Amino acid sequence: MRLIVPLRGVIQGRGGLFVGSLIPCCLFYFLQLYLKRRRPPPTDPTELPRTSSRTNLFSRGNSIGRVRVSSRAVPVAKPSDSPYYIGLERVKTDPYDRIKNTDGIIQLGLAESTLCFDLLQRWMSENLMESMMQSDDGEFDISSIAMYKPFEGLLELRVAFADFMSRIMGGNVSFDPSNMVITAGGTPAIEVLAFCLADHGNAFLIPTPYYPGFDRDIKFRTGVELIPVHCRSSDNFTVTVSALEQALNQARKRGSKVSGILFSNPSNPVGNILSRETLQDILRFAQEKNIHVISDEIFAGSVYGDKEFVSMAEIAGSGEFDKSRVHIIYGLSKDLSIPGFRAGVIYSFHEDVVNAAKKLMRFSSVPVPVQRILISLLSDVRFIEEYMTAHRQRIRDKHIRFVEGLKQLGIPCAESGGGLYCWVDMSSLLTSYSEKGELELFEKLLTVAKINATPGTACYCIEPGWFRCCFTALADEDIPVIMERIRQLRESSRS
Amino acid sequence: MGLPLMMERSSNNNNVELSRVAVSDTHGEDSPYFAGWKAYDENPYDESHNPSGVIQMGLAENQVSFDLLETYLEKKNPEGSMWGSKGAPGFRENALFQDYHGLKTFRQAMASFMEQIRGGKARFDPDRIVLTAGATAANELLTFILADPNDALLVPTPYYPGFDRDLRWRTGVKIVPIHCDSSNHFQITPEALDSAYQTARDANIRVRGVLITNPSNPLGATVQKKVLEDLLDFCVRKNIHLVSDEIYSGSVFHASEFTSVAEIVENIDDVSVKERVHIVYSLSKDLGLPGFRVGTIYSYNDNVVRTARRMSSFTLVSSQTQHMLASMLSDEEFTEKYIRINRERLRRRYDTIVEGLKKAGIECLKGNAGLFCWMNLGFLLEKKTKDGELQLWDVILKELKLNISPGSSCHCSEVGWFRVCFANMSENTLEIALKRIHEFMDRRRRF
């Protein structure tokens, strides 16, 4: 529609401006509007005309448009560009085997422990069948494992978990089974919490370096952003309130709404145990800003150093703070070495979060037969004590060997007291002290030394040269092999 | 998405805010479908201890063939060897294995089982099987992949009440109903499809696919082959997806009466047609193992398979479960026998209940599958409205102590229909339920 018509009247200065030009223009506009409304809506350009012959339609070949997936699905299928995943994939192509493939790539990129398999295996062979199949009268009754049970987990399992968690966290904190929801692993636990605490487009603050898997776990489907809060080696990569404050302010300036703070304790990838004071500082900060705190304590039972582990649940329960903003994640993949079983926990002090999480468990619950096995396992106090003592001891021994081996090469590690890995400073091996230099070293480690270690870049570490090395799936004999390969790599780069 | 505008997003005396997902009521647990369950939980029927309690006829669970599973497990699994408890490889595998590809042997077993159910009329490639912790998770996962927030899936009514939650809650996707009615046994017509599509377009909503359940829940009837062909035709023309939830495929009383969308696709070479088709399956209904949480997405679309696999990290099937079931599902002698006997027993139950209802003067939709029948009580309604239907439902719950599902919770456009489950109880209990209905109808006739 044109504006020329009314202007003409104005330009010609006719006294009958209103009658002469405005009214006809209005009529013209209204006519256009009327016609537009009456016109049938444009057909979908991608739609094909109905055909009477079905076989013709189904064999039409390229004239049919390719059906599309949602825009949120598009990035998911793309090959990952994170060195964390690239490294894991490469190991699969040529995995090291002590006997069959001594030139293969040694896996130091997966935080899993096989150190106490012998103990678990013994328990399983003695108890698996009974624990899974038994009903109250001792007869095999399939209905006890086949039928629908509450998705949030059997009460007995939640009671067993509460007791287990209390034990491994030093016995200073008790967990209430009614605040607990059992999930199919730590991965859905973190995602469900993200869905409950933040809207699409909101953000969590997260101290760096952090576990690369969080990018997927949180961002894939929830649309929640992660805002890094940078930590430095001078603080042994421990988060400070000033860093949190700065990150929050910057986020607000950008228009980002921060819903909470997410951190892991023991931390991954550094292996720090956060002190009571640090935990209190974090909770105090969250209270001031009225945001949530999510503490991922999945390595709580894998503490081998001298420092005492304190759960955020203990701080929350102290009475000093509003505990409804505190949520904890736990799971059996690390401490009990059974990631394949898929068993995790959301523990929240907020009743509505627990209720929402319970309902969301229909999408990620633990199979009933597996729950029965776990009830039996976690309630076997004698075995659990034996296992946890051995677990901690063996990690400690392996840690000492591994760190000593690196020390002899002049390669230091960050101070750590928990987790299944150490945070190694390989900056002396970098050709340039930069992200680029670090990624080059990562590639050389992978292709020349044939070692997969996770570079700090994948964990958003701001200081180049740091690598996470997981050592709990190694035999003692593997360690000198690894050190020799690193030594050779260093020699060849010098020449 | 069901968010009441005025609701506070931080509740009780807590200040900290929760997400929209957390406070939304899209989980639907306040509807009558679930209210009846609460009444059952508070006063459950028990043959010996509580013969006047509420009989649960609102839960589609299959308990008619448990004995077959028990016998098999006891015979083939004397010392737990099958469960992986013996020997180093078994335990190590189970404990560590958490690959989202899933155990190859298990996927092969699932593919073989799905082929058997369809009488070999379609083949399934194990590499197109993505495992999820139940069909609930499979449907939600597919929805995340096929549609963006505020897009829509077209779903024929009446449909499984859980879809409101599973397809919409976290995904932000809408459901636009394809209205079906009893004039043609609730089959989907091209006119109804077009009308639903247009309704969405008029509201500026982008339609991404059609989702059907075949056999249908709550109708308890298979979808005709011609209707499937029309559906695929429609989806091709609109360039959208077709999802077929075939969770009750093994519960069709006569195998010849079931046509899977897989059979239709089997004869098509054109990838651009095939790749819009996705099938959901699970062991919860046919095998009576809902507690095991085993579901699957089968897609003819490589991109969807890749994406679904990665997203399945949020809903993995325990490796222990995969290991346990792989040998059972690959045992063709057992599965053939199980499928055959299970179908036969379900058919007999169905005949029992339909005959029993007929004697009481109640008609049902002619069904041929599933764990329930679709009963017509329209003639009993005082007011032919949704409220009238809910009043009658309440009377049946409180007076007859039977929990059945009202058609309105399934979004049925005709009032007076109810879904009645018959496979989650003993034959005796079913007789008691029918007796209560008879007595109720007798009482009504006298007044």
Side-chain angles (χ1 to χ4, degrees):
Chain A
M1 288 188 285
R2 295 172 171 216
L3 292 170
I4 293 172
V5 174
L7 282 176
R8 202 192 291 143
V10 174
I11 290 164
Q12 288 170 348
R14 285 201 229 139
L17 170 68
F18 210 81
V19 175
S21 46
L22 205 57
I23 290 183
C25 293
C26 288
L27 287 174
F28 180 70
Y29 283 128
F30 282 124
L31 180 66
Q32 289 291 309
L33 208 61
Y34 174 77
L35 287 175
K36 197 172 182 183
R37 281 229 174 95
R38 287 290 304 261
R39 214 180 297 140
T43 47
D44 189 334
T46 58
E47 180 178 336
L48 297 166
R50 201 188 286 265
T51 180
S52 52
S53 169
R54 192 164 291 110
T55 45
N56 275 352
L57 180 63
F58 289 174
S59 56
R60 225 179 250 209
N62 295 329
S63 58
I64 298 173
R66 298 297 287 270
V67 73
R68 288 204 286 270
V69 296
S70 64
S71 48
R72 59 182 155 194
V74 169
V76 175
K78 287 207 177 103
S80 178
D81 53 6
S82 164
Y84 175 66
Y85 295 106
I86 290 172
L88 293 177
E89 285 305 306
R90 290 272 273 278
V91 173
K92 286 187 196 161
T93 62
D94 181 17
Y96 172 78
D97 184 291
R98 229 157 272 132
I99 299 157
K100 290 181 259 179
N101 188 17
T102 50
D103 285 327
I105 308 176
I106 299 182
Q107 175 70 286
L108 300 182
L110 206 50
E112 277 173 358
S113 171
T114 55
L115 301 178
C116 290
F117 259 9
D118 55 327
L119 298 175
L120 272 173
Q121 202 163 291
R122 195 191 69 214
W123 190 92
M124 292 284 167
S125 61
E126 285 167 16
N127 298 286
L128 195 83
M129 275 307 290
E130 275 171 55
S131 58
M132 187 164 50
M133 302 299 223
Q134 200 167 46
S135 67
D136 298 324
D137 55 9
E139 291 280 299
F140 170 48
D141 178 9
I142 196 167
S143 64
S144 67
I145 56 172
M147 288 163 49
Y148 281 111
K149 292 283 184 253
F151 291 123
E152 68 269 20
L154 297 166
L155 179 60
E156 300 105 298
L157 182 57
R158 285 181 280 127
V159 168
F161 251 110
D163 190 56
F164 175 72
M165 283 165 73
S166 175
R167 270 172 211 290
I168 63 166
M169 292 183 189
N172 293 327
V173 57
S174 68
F175 291 90
D176 180 352
S178 57
N179 287 347
M180 194 179 283
V181 164
I182 313 293
T183 66
T187 302
I190 183 67
E191 197 204 30
V192 164
L193 266 185
F195 266 117
C196 290
L197 306 181
D199 287 324
H200 194 288
N202 289 359
F204 288 149
L205 297 179
I206 182 166
T208 67
Y210 67 79
Y211 160 58
F214 278 151
D215 279 338
R216 278 189 177 178
D217 295 352
I218 293 183
K219 293 185 197 170
F220 254 9
R221 307 191 301 185
T222 68
V224 173
E225 287 303 312
L226 288 175
I227 296 176
V229 179
H230 291 298
C231 304
R232 305 188 171 279
S233 55
S234 49
D235 298 317
N236 201 40
F237 297 99
T238 304
V239 70
T240 61
V241 173
S242 54
L244 283 170
E245 184 87 54
Q246 192 180 40
L248 183 65
N249 290 337
Q250 279 173 355
R252 285 191 174 156
K253 276 199 200 117
R254 279 197 312 267
S256 244
K257 179 168 175 205
V258 172
S259 303
I261 306 168
L262 165 66
F263 63 94
S264 50
N265 177 31
S267 69
N268 179 6
V270 178
N272 265 335
I273 310 281
L274 270 58
S275 69
R276 197 177 286 271
E277 291 70 38
T278 305
L279 293 173
Q280 284 166 342
D281 286 344
I282 293 173
L283 190 44
R284 193 171 298 118
F285 175 80
Q287 184 134 316
E288 259 169 52
K289 309 295 176 187
N290 197 21
I291 57 179
H292 293 276
V293 170
I294 304 173
S295 179
D296 179 356
E297 301 184 353
I298 205 171
F299 292 100
S302 302
V303 171
Y304 51 83
D306 300 317
K307 229 172 154 186
E308 177 208 15
F309 172 78
V310 177
S311 167
M312 197 40 129
E314 196 184 318
I315 310 293
S318 67
E320 201 189 323
F321 304 99
D322 160 35
K323 59 188 183 182
S324 69
R325 66 187 69 251
V326 175
H327 321 277
I328 292 168
I329 289 174
Y330 187 65
L332 300 178
S333 307
K334 313 295 179 183
D335 293 344
L336 225 50
S337 307
I338 44 175
F341 276 54
R342 314 301 312 141
V345 170
I346 295 173
Y347 189 85
S348 172
F349 289 94
H350 196 309
E351 196 187 322
D352 294 335
V353 172
V354 175
N355 286 333
K358 277 186 181 170
K359 297 186 177 95
L360 286 170
M361 277 310 104
R362 65 188 339 98
F363 301 113
S364 313
S365 62
V366 178
V368 181
V370 174
Q371 289 192 48
R372 300 244 182 251
I373 297 171
L374 293 176
I375 289 169
S376 192
L377 179 62
L378 298 179
S379 319
D380 188 341
V381 177
R382 201 191 47 79
F383 172 75
I384 292 296
E385 297 280 305
E386 183 196 341
Y387 177 92
M388 293 312 299
T389 308
H391 178 70
R392 290 191 189 107
Q393 189 60 50
R394 294 179 192 185
I395 299 177
R396 188 191 177 96
D397 290 343
K398 201 72 72 179
H399 179 250
I400 289 172
R401 275 180 205 269
F402 196 82
V403 171
E404 184 57 36
L406 288 171
K407 194 171 166 198
Q408 285 177 9
L409 291 173
I411 297 174
C413 296
E415 206 184 289
S416 61
L420 309 177
Y421 37 78
C422 50
W423 191 230
V424 183
D425 183 0
M426 300 220 194
S427 52
S428 60
L429 292 163
L430 296 178
T431 46
S432 81
Y433 188 69
S434 62
E435 182 181 316
K436 183 163 175 282
E438 183 187 286
L439 290 172
E440 274 170 17
L441 177 57
F442 165 68
E443 190 56 42
K444 272 196 282 201
L445 279 167
L446 209 49
T447 44
V448 177
K450 308 206 87 187
I451 291 171
N452 176 38
T454 306
T457 319
C459 309
Y460 300 88
C461 185
I462 48 163
E463 292 177 22
W466 292 90
F467 284 76
R468 186 187 78 166
C469 296
C470 304
F471 53 75
T472 48
L474 299 173
D476 289 345
E477 315 82 272
D478 299 331
I479 295 178
V481 174
I482 293 165
M483 299 309 155
E484 181 55 27
R485 289 186 187 189
I486 297 176
R487 197 191 59 75
Q488 279 182 13
L489 178 68
R490 190 175 54 189
E491 295 306 308
S492 63
S493 344
R494 279 187 186 151
S495 53
Chain B
M1 228 186 101
L3 172 69
L5 289 169
M6 300 306 285
M7 188 188 264
E8 289 294 318
R9 296 225 267 140
S10 38
S11 53
N12 304 336
N13 32 19
N14 305 316
N15 290 324
V16 69
E17 210 175 290
L18 299 184
S19 67
R20 281 187 211 109
V21 166
V23 302
S24 147
D25 59 2
T26 313
H27 52 74
E29 289 190 16
D30 307 319
S31 82
Y33 182 71
F34 298 104
W37 293 21
K38 287 185 200 135
Y40 166 76
D41 285 336
E42 283 156 21
N43 182 19
Y45 170 85
D46 182 283
E47 241 163 299
S48 359
H49 307 297
N50 189 15
S52 59
V54 175
I55 299 180
Q56 172 65 290
M57 303 188 90
L59 179 59
E61 205 175 46
N62 181 3
Q63 294 179 24
V64 308
S65 305
F66 268 169
D67 58 317
L68 299 176
L69 287 175
E70 264 169 10
T71 315
Y72 176 83
L73 292 174
E74 278 171 340
K75 222 175 17 169
K76 295 273 179 158
N77 184 38
E79 270 154 71
S81 48
M82 199 178 86
W83 308 105
S85 60
K86 283 231 179 265
F91 171 68
R92 259 187 125 82
E93 253 171 49
N94 290 347
L96 284 184
F97 185 80
Q98 49 162 344
D99 183 344
Y100 52 43
H101 285 80
L103 267 179
K104 180 106 189 184
T105 47
F106 182 61
R107 282 183 285 116
Q108 281 165 339
M110 283 292 279
S112 147
F113 188 64
M114 287 167 75
E115 281 170 5
Q116 264 195 314
I117 285 176
R118 290 157 185 74
K121 287 185 271 178
R123 277 158 311 156
F124 289 93
D125 175 359
D127 290 332
R128 290 195 171 283
I129 287 184
V130 176
L131 301 172
T132 61
T136 300
N139 280 320
E140 194 204 33
L141 194 53
L142 261 181
T143 305
F144 267 117
I145 295 172
L146 306 182
D148 282 309
N150 297 315
D151 286 345
L153 292 177
L154 304 183
V155 182
T157 66
Y159 61 76
Y160 161 56
F163 279 159
D164 285 332
R165 169 199 58 210
D166 301 344
L167 306 181
R168 299 184 322 158
W169 190 7
R170 293 195 289 190
T171 61
V173 172
K174 303 183 198 294
I175 294 178
V176 172
I178 302 168
H179 291 294
C180 304
D181 60 65
S182 58
S183 61
N184 69 340
H185 307 287
F186 294 95
Q187 292 279 345
I188 304 165
T189 63
E191 294 74 36
L193 272 172
D194 282 330
S195 169
Y197 189 86
Q198 194 56 46
T199 304
R201 291 306 300 264
D202 288 344
N204 246 331
I205 295 171
R206 193 165 55 154
V207 174
R208 300 308 289 261
V210 176
L211 188 144
I212 63 167
T213 312
N214 178 25
S216 156
N217 174 7
L219 299 177
T222 54
V223 178
Q224 290 166 11
K225 184 169 180 182
K226 179 172 186 311
V227 174
L228 289 175
E229 287 168 347
D230 283 346
L231 271 170
L232 186 51
D233 190 70
F234 176 80
C235 291
V236 168
R237 269 186 294 111
K238 302 296 187 190
N239 196 19
I240 59 179
H241 295 274
L242 176 59
V243 178
S244 180
D245 181 347
E246 301 189 348
I247 198 177
Y248 294 100
S249 45
S251 309
V252 181
F253 310 147
H254 301 287
S256 54
E257 292 178 17
F258 173 61
T259 306
S260 163
V261 74
E263 286 171 50
I264 315 263
V265 173
E266 188 83 357
N267 301 319
I268 297 173
D269 291 322
D270 189 347
V271 170
S272 63
V273 172
K274 278 172 107 120
E275 66 177 9
R276 65 192 68 246
V277 178
H278 323 278
I279 297 173
V280 167
Y281 187 59
S282 152
L283 299 180
S284 301
K285 311 296 180 182
D286 293 344
L287 219 53
L289 297 175
F292 277 50
R293 314 309 307 140
V294 178
T296 163
I297 295 172
Y298 187 89
S299 176
Y300 294 91
N301 185 317
D302 293 344
N303 195 12
V304 171
V305 171
R306 254 197 315 271
T307 310
R309 225 182 249 145
R310 288 195 177 183
M311 275 195 190
S312 67
S313 339
F314 299 109
T315 182
L316 291 180
V317 175
S318 154
S319 53
Q320 185 69 19
T321 314
Q322 294 185 51
H323 197 95
M324 275 165 47
L325 296 175
S327 46
M328 183 168 84
L329 286 183
S330 333
D331 185 338
E332 283 188 14
E333 195 192 309
F334 166 72
T335 52
E336 187 276 323
K337 182 172 137 200
Y338 178 92
I339 293 169
R340 187 173 30 88
I341 297 181
N342 183 50
R343 286 194 211 275
E344 182 52 37
R345 290 180 182 177
L346 288 174
R347 187 192 59 75
R348 271 210 311 260
R349 284 280 177 115
Y350 175 80
D351 286 342
T352 306
I353 194 174
V354 168
E355 278 305 306
L357 289 171
K358 203 162 177 186
K359 288 203 184 95
I362 297 172
E363 292 292 322
C364 292
L365 180 78
K366 185 152 181 8
N368 61 353
L371 314 176
F372 32 74
C373 62
W374 190 233
M375 176 173 80
N376 190 356
L377 295 182
F379 66 101
L380 287 179
L381 296 184
E382 283 174 22
K383 289 177 285 168
K384 300 258 187 286
T385 61
K386 182 174 163 184
D387 277 337
E389 182 187 280
L390 287 175
Q391 273 173 22
L392 178 58
W393 168 78
D394 199 53
V395 164
I396 295 174
L397 183 61
K398 302 241 164 65
E399 278 184 35
L400 282 83
K401 302 268 195 332
L402 297 178
N403 177 38
I404 60 179
S405 311
S408 48
S409 64
C410 307
H411 302 276
C412 188
S413 47
E414 275 179 34
V415 292
W417 292 89
F418 290 80
R419 186 190 78 168
V420 186
C421 299
F422 53 71
N424 59 321
M425 60 189 74
S426 69
E427 283 174 13
N428 281 348
T429 310
L430 186 55
E431 291 298 330
I432 306 271
L434 284 169
K435 190 150 153 274
R436 291 183 188 179
I437 293 174
H438 273 266
E439 284 164 8
F440 172 72
M441 293 301 289
D442 279 341
R443 284 199 300 272
R444 282 191 83 111
R445 245 174 257 125
R446 271 182 252 132
F447 292 103

